[in-house]
Amino acid sequence: MSDHEITEPVRLTDDRGRLNPASIGWARQQLHDTDGVGRGCYGWGRTKRWEYWGIVTPTHIFALTIGGLDYANVRQVWVLERATLTAIDAFEISPLGRGLSMTGTHGAGVNTSRGRTIDLRFEDSDAGTRLLASTPRVQVEVLAETRPGHEAMGLASPHSRFLVDYTVKDVDRPTSGTITIDGVRHDASGFAVLDHARSRGPYRTDWNWGAAVGEVDGKRIGINLGGGGPDGLRNGISHTGVTIDGRVHKIPTVLEWEFDPSNWMAPWRMTTDRMELTFTPFYDRYARTNLLLIRSTTHQCFGVFTGRVQTDEGEWLTIDGLEGWAEDVHNRW
């Protein structure tokens, strides 16, 4: 099941909101129609929609999040100044769908979230995605470019007949634009990674995820590292792959994660038969939320990857100095 490639358009759910078995697997392009997520009477409170953009530039790392649950609208703008390792965090939750508008299917238009002090807007177009954000201290205006022929992993992973995870892991999106902090404008040229989801999932979800981008021997490399679940997969589906000059090389086998929860800044190891990576962190972003319905604990470490990965053709590429992140997350929401 883990290496089943979807090559034709398919609906994720039927008219009653139940999982369509034909949708299980992964795709290189956006072939899953997820407009039906949230329909029907199955498991109210379990619908989860989000758009997470992580952007890395030479001077800053920042993350923009729009999250829609059946019972809450979550929005966040987080920024790290790399020279001083000083972070700014703006976070809000609104009840139900107040201030929230999200597309049913990836790439289908505009996602917005507005609250008391945070305003987010993500606009899809043929050129890419325009990312706009405003908080009292931070303003973002960035284009995450989509190059011709660019591929991204769309993954449908089942929990049951009624619950299913659908995500798009889109790495290696070149960025241009600006981020303004306390009135000072900074160039935002770098790269962006998208984690898109339209899912109906269980209350408890735990996972590991990582991403990195850089150049190797003149090739543009993007890495997505997946993990989670008792079998090391996400309900039978591997979320691990390498994008080389815009083409996805899917790795279907289990990725083993090794890290020390008592020392998050110690090196991490991620290995499988086609990947051997060491991740050395320079910053641990720790976040903890404990509200009535939403509880989460996250260690998202930013750092540098070294090692090697294998292409579909069997070629091994040496990885040295790719920047990105790796995280360990435990959610109740």
Side-chain angles (χ1 to χ4, degrees):
M1 182 184 297
S2 63
D3 60 352
H4 174 60
E5 183 177 353
I6 304 292
T7 58
E8 299 291 337
V10 63
R11 295 176 64 190
L12 184 68
T13 59
D14 64 19
D15 292 336
R16 292 189 289 176
R18 296 179 303 184
L19 170 66
N20 173 15
S23 71
I24 298 171
W26 71 281
R28 298 176 180 276
Q29 304 290 343
Q30 174 53 48
L31 297 176
H32 287 82
D33 180 338
T34 58
D35 284 355
V37 171
R39 294 177 184 170
C41 59
Y42 301 106
W44 185 93
R46 305 276 43 86
T47 304
K48 304 176 183 183
R49 302 179 177 92
W50 70 79
E51 305 285 322
Y52 171 90
W53 285 92
I55 300 97
V56 176
T57 78
T59 59
H60 293 84
I61 299 170
F62 52 104
L64 312 175
T65 305
I66 297 176
L69 312 178
D70 284 329
Y71 47 84
N73 167 14
V74 179
R75 68 195 75 86
Q76 187 170 28
V77 176
W78 181 87
V79 181
L80 178 70
E81 183 182 60
R82 299 183 61 165
T84 63
L85 296 183
T86 302
I88 300 171
D89 191 5
F91 177 74
E92 289 182 344
I93 298 179
S94 302
L96 302 175
R98 185 181 302 171
L100 178 70
S101 176
M102 302 191 77
T103 61
T105 296
H106 176 52
V110 180
N111 295 282
T112 61
S113 181
R114 292 186 175 183
R116 292 183 300 105
T117 63
I118 302 174
D119 188 353
L120 288 161
R121 182 179 179 90
F122 306 155
E123 304 173 352
D124 292 319
S125 70
D126 291 341
T129 306
R130 189 167 177 245
L131 308 175
L132 304 173
S134 178
T135 79
R137 296 185 61 188
V138 177
Q139 293 77 47
V140 174
E141 186 170 352
V142 166
L143 175 66
E145 178 187 345
T146 301
R147 293 171 174 171
H150 177 77
E151 299 179 349
M153 287 194 301
L155 302 127
S157 313
H159 293 281
S160 69
R161 292 172 56 202
F162 311 118
L163 301 179
V164 58
D165 280 339
Y166 177 75
T167 67
V168 175
K169 307 296 188 184
D170 192 353
V171 296
D172 187 20
R173 296 279 295 272
T175 60
S176 60
T178 60
I179 177 171
T180 302
I181 303 169
D182 295 330
V184 179
R185 182 173 295 182
H186 306 270
D187 179 44
S189 298
F191 70 85
V193 173
L194 168 64
D195 181 16
H196 158 101
R198 296 294 185 270
S199 303
R200 177 167 273 172
Y203 178 60
R204 174 175 176 170
T205 52
D206 303 322
W207 69 77
N208 295 115
W209 176 47
V213 175
E215 280 201 6
V216 175
D217 297 331
K219 299 181 174 67
R220 189 76 178 180
I221 306 297
I223 298 176
N224 190 82
L225 306 169
D231 58 357
L233 304 171
R234 296 294 296 276
N235 309 307
I237 305 293
S238 164
H239 284 215
T240 301
V242 181
T243 302
I244 303 173
D245 289 335
R247 178 177 176 269
V248 170
H249 296 244
K250 181 73 160 52
I251 297 177
T253 48
V254 173
L255 183 69
E256 300 289 346
W257 291 70
E258 299 177 26
F259 52 87
D260 183 357
S262 68
N263 182 9
W264 296 100
M265 297 299 288
W268 302 37
R269 289 276 295 165
M270 299 85 162
T271 56
T272 185
D273 58 342
R274 288 176 50 188
M275 182 176 288
E276 300 170 1
L277 295 176
T278 297
F279 171 67
T280 304
F282 60 74
Y283 185 84
D284 174 20
R285 177 190 176 190
Y286 172 66
R288 181 184 177 93
T289 302
N290 190 0
L291 302 175
L292 182 62
L293 292 175
I294 300 175
R295 299 180 182 182
S296 68
T297 302
T298 299
H299 284 273
Q300 183 183 27
C301 293
F302 297 89
V304 176
F305 288 84
T306 59
R308 63 177 190 160
V309 298
Q310 189 182 45
T311 69
D312 288 342
E313 293 76 28
E315 177 187 3
W316 284 94
L317 299 177
T318 299
I319 302 300
D320 185 10
L322 263 63
E323 291 191 321
W325 58 82
E327 66 182 28
D328 181 68
V329 179
H330 303 271
N331 273 343
R332 312 290 182 272
W333 52 310

